Amino acid sequence: MYKKVHLQLTLLFTGIAAAIMIIMSLCYLYVSESGLYRNQYNSFKNDMNTIATNLEQMSVISMQWLSKMEAQGSYTFFVLDNGAPFLYNQLTKAADSQKYIIMEECLDAYYNTFSFSEAGVIASPFLSYHVEYQFISPSTKEKYFGSVISIEKGNSLLQIIVFSPMKFLEKQISGQRYRFILIDLTAILLLAVFSWFFTGKLLHPILESQQRQARFISSASHELRTPLAIIMSSLDCCQNSKTENPQRFLKTIRQESVRMSSLINDMLVLSESDQHLPVRKKPVELDTLLINSYEAFEYLAKEKEIALSVNLPEDMLPPCSCDPDRISQVISILIHNAISYTPKMGKIDLSLSYDKKCFFLSVKDNGIGISDEDKKKIFDRFYRAEKARNTKGHFGLGLSIAYEIAASHNGSISVKDAFPKGTEFVVVLPEE
């Protein structure tokens, strides 16, 4: 499922980015090619204007001048005097009949494109004029710029037909298109690679969350299975037992039911934290809260022969904006863990301090301690260190709950080694 979604997102991101890039490339090519064509056409028109001006001043058009003009540019000239071709053009027809055919096609395009008077000449008040246009040669299927320069001298009509192939412009445009195709293909490939890693990064937290949820369900099922099995076994014994006192089994059922209820309550708290753990903040005296927790666990610590002490600052502390029930729950979790993993004649110190608008709640013991490897996972759900595996009543949810509560208050909780041995948990809460 994850791989399928990963692939679909990669294709989606790549497709959208590629479509945008291709559209932008096409727009650029359209503008660029239109500009190239316009510049080339304007250049052709300017050249024709210059040639027409020179022709007006010439009394005789020589073959040498025509050869020179053709040599200077990619232009081909045909001169008609009252429809009769010059000797230069007759020689051209004999040498290169294809050029002569294109000349006729150029002239046909001229007649088919523009309107004429009855005399067959474009109506104009001037003695000389020229027109430029574009045509496609039926014989070569190539595009050309064409121009017809008309000069009236007395009763004579001199027509100079000029055409220039557009293959150099088309070659330039084709080269530009191929370059853009290559650039776009390379960019799409890079986009696909980037999208694959980027979507992988996006999906990684979702995958981790899914894996955590699967582990949570698996661990919860395992933890619930044990008390349920004991309860069912005890019920069977109660039904089948005739001589033995069933009170012993009923006591076991009650103990396991309480244990199961505690586990379900912890799971509900963590379920709320996945959505948004509700907290009801109000000004709270944390020193009073710590003393109340100390008094609640004092008797249990004495039963286990553990010295429980509390250290409070001498100066009066400002109130902390927090949920007193939730913070009491955090302190209770930390004290209960400390009592569970501290041997007889051990010591647990509770302390409170204030610095830089933050409160620091500390629970330090001289118990069995926590390895560096376990410190990395101690706040994971259902995680228990190897030394705590056989400790009944601990499901590995307490520290996870404490972590979520601290986070919901924009605070934090950390663990470190205590000197000379043991563990210290520190809860940091902002003043507001």
Side-chain angles (χ1 to χ4, degrees):
M1 181 64 182
Y2 169 77
K3 291 183 178 179
K4 184 178 179 181
V5 173
H6 190 188
L7 179 60
Q8 289 176 342
L9 285 177
T10 300
L11 293 176
L12 177 64
F13 289 166
T14 304
I16 292 173
I20 294 172
M21 185 177 60
I22 289 172
I23 291 172
M24 295 299 293
S25 297
L26 291 175
C27 292
Y28 173 82
L29 286 173
Y30 174 78
V31 174
S32 176
E33 290 175 10
S34 299
L36 287 172
Y37 170 80
R38 187 167 53 252
N39 292 337
Q40 189 78 9
Y41 186 58
N42 289 335
S43 177
F44 179 75
K45 290 176 68 175
N46 291 334
D47 289 347
M48 294 305 104
N49 188 57
T50 303
I51 292 172
T53 302
N54 291 334
L55 286 171
E56 286 180 2
Q57 299 172 359
M58 295 171 62
S59 58
V60 177
I61 301 174
S62 65
M63 293 177 59
Q64 184 180 2
W65 182 85
L66 291 174
S67 299
K68 181 180 178 182
M69 292 302 296
E70 286 189 345
Q72 286 179 352
S74 57
Y75 300 139
T76 301
F77 289 80
F78 282 86
V79 183
L80 300 177
D81 187 5
N82 289 327
F86 271 29
L87 177 61
Y88 176 81
N89 299 137
Q90 294 176 0
L91 295 175
T92 302
K93 180 179 180 181
D96 191 346
S97 60
Q98 184 62 46
K99 282 188 178 182
Y100 196 85
I101 293 172
I102 296 173
M103 183 276 295
E104 292 179 333
E105 293 170 346
C106 179
L107 199 56
D108 289 340
Y110 168 68
Y111 288 132
N112 293 330
T113 304
F114 300 97
S115 60
F116 296 88
S117 65
E118 292 182 357
V121 182
I122 296 179
S124 172
F126 303 102
L127 294 178
S128 72
Y129 47 88
H130 59 92
V131 291
E132 286 74 40
Y133 52 92
Q134 177 184 342
F135 71 96
I136 299 176
S137 169
S139 59
T140 62
K141 306 301 181 184
E142 293 181 359
K143 293 181 180 180
Y144 291 85
F145 287 128
S147 177
V148 175
I149 303 171
S150 300
I151 302 174
E152 293 183 11
K153 292 185 178 182
N155 295 325
S156 176
L157 175 63
L158 187 67
Q159 287 183 309
I160 297 89
I161 303 160
V162 186
F163 61 86
S164 174
M166 295 173 61
K167 58 184 179 181
F168 299 107
L169 176 61
E170 291 180 338
K171 184 177 180 181
Q172 184 179 2
I173 290 174
S174 297
Q176 181 175 257
R177 289 178 180 178
Y178 288 135
R179 284 193 298 272
F180 264 83
I181 290 172
L182 182 61
I183 291 171
D184 285 350
L185 289 176
T186 305
I188 290 171
L189 179 61
L190 293 175
L191 276 172
V193 175
F194 172 77
S195 298
W196 177 262
F197 287 103
F198 181 70
T199 52
K201 290 286 186 181
L202 288 178
L203 290 174
H204 186 66
I206 299 174
L207 179 63
E208 282 189 340
S209 177
Q210 185 181 22
Q211 291 174 344
R212 284 198 303 268
Q213 186 179 17
R215 289 195 299 267
F216 180 82
I217 293 172
S218 176
S219 300
S221 301
H222 175 75
E223 294 291 350
L224 287 170
R225 190 182 297 117
T226 302
L228 277 174
I230 295 173
I231 289 172
M232 292 178 66
S233 176
S234 298
L235 286 173
D236 289 339
C237 291
C238 285
Q239 290 176 350
N240 299 329
S241 177
K242 296 181 179 180
T243 56
E244 296 185 15
N245 185 1
Q247 293 298 323
R248 180 167 61 90
F249 300 111
L250 293 176
K251 183 180 179 181
T252 302
I253 291 172
R254 179 175 178 77
Q255 289 176 347
E256 294 301 323
S257 298
V258 171
R259 182 166 177 259
M260 209 161 111
S261 176
S262 175
L263 173 60
I264 292 172
N265 288 335
D266 289 347
M267 290 170 61
L268 287 174
V269 172
L270 289 174
S271 177
E272 288 179 346
S273 71
D274 288 337
Q275 305 298 323
H276 181 68
L277 190 64
V279 292
R280 299 173 180 84
K281 291 185 178 182
K282 62 180 182 180
V284 176
E285 303 292 339
L286 285 183
D287 49 359
T288 303
L289 211 63
L290 190 61
I291 290 173
N292 291 339
S293 299
Y294 163 78
E295 292 175 349
F297 282 94
E298 186 178 16
Y299 179 75
L300 180 61
K302 283 184 179 179
E303 277 191 337
K304 292 195 66 175
E305 300 180 16
I306 296 173
L308 183 64
S309 63
V310 60
N311 299 309
L312 300 174
E314 295 181 0
D315 299 332
M316 182 178 291
L317 299 179
C320 176
S321 179
C322 64
D323 187 329
D325 295 331
R326 295 294 190 188
I327 300 304
S328 294
Q329 188 178 6
V330 173
I331 299 172
S332 298
I333 289 170
L334 297 179
I335 296 176
H336 188 266
N337 276 1
I339 291 175
S340 299
Y341 303 127
T342 300
K344 289 184 178 181
M345 309 305 295
K347 181 174 64 171
I348 299 174
D349 295 323
L350 312 179
S351 64
L352 174 65
S353 60
Y354 176 79
D355 184 36
K356 296 180 180 178
K357 294 188 176 183
C358 286
F359 295 92
F360 298 85
L361 284 164
S362 170
V363 178
K364 182 170 64 174
D365 63 62
N366 62 349
I368 58 178
I370 302 173
S371 67
D372 292 336
E373 185 65 27
D374 288 332
K375 286 189 184 76
K376 300 175 184 178
K377 305 175 183 178
I378 199 72
F379 297 107
D380 292 348
R381 298 176 184 184
F382 286 109
Y383 181 79
R384 289 180 292 179
E386 291 297 328
K387 296 177 182 178
R389 292 287 178 190
N390 298 323
T391 304
K392 195 172 183 179
H394 286 270
F395 306 105
L397 294 179
L399 291 177
S400 298
I401 293 172
Y403 180 87
E404 297 293 345
I405 292 173
S408 67
H409 284 76
N410 297 320
S412 64
I413 181 171
S414 59
V415 59
K416 59 182 179 180
D417 294 330
F419 181 80
K421 67 174 184 176
T423 305
E424 181 179 7
F425 285 89
V426 179
V427 180
V428 181
L429 296 173
E431 183 179 344
E432 296 181 357

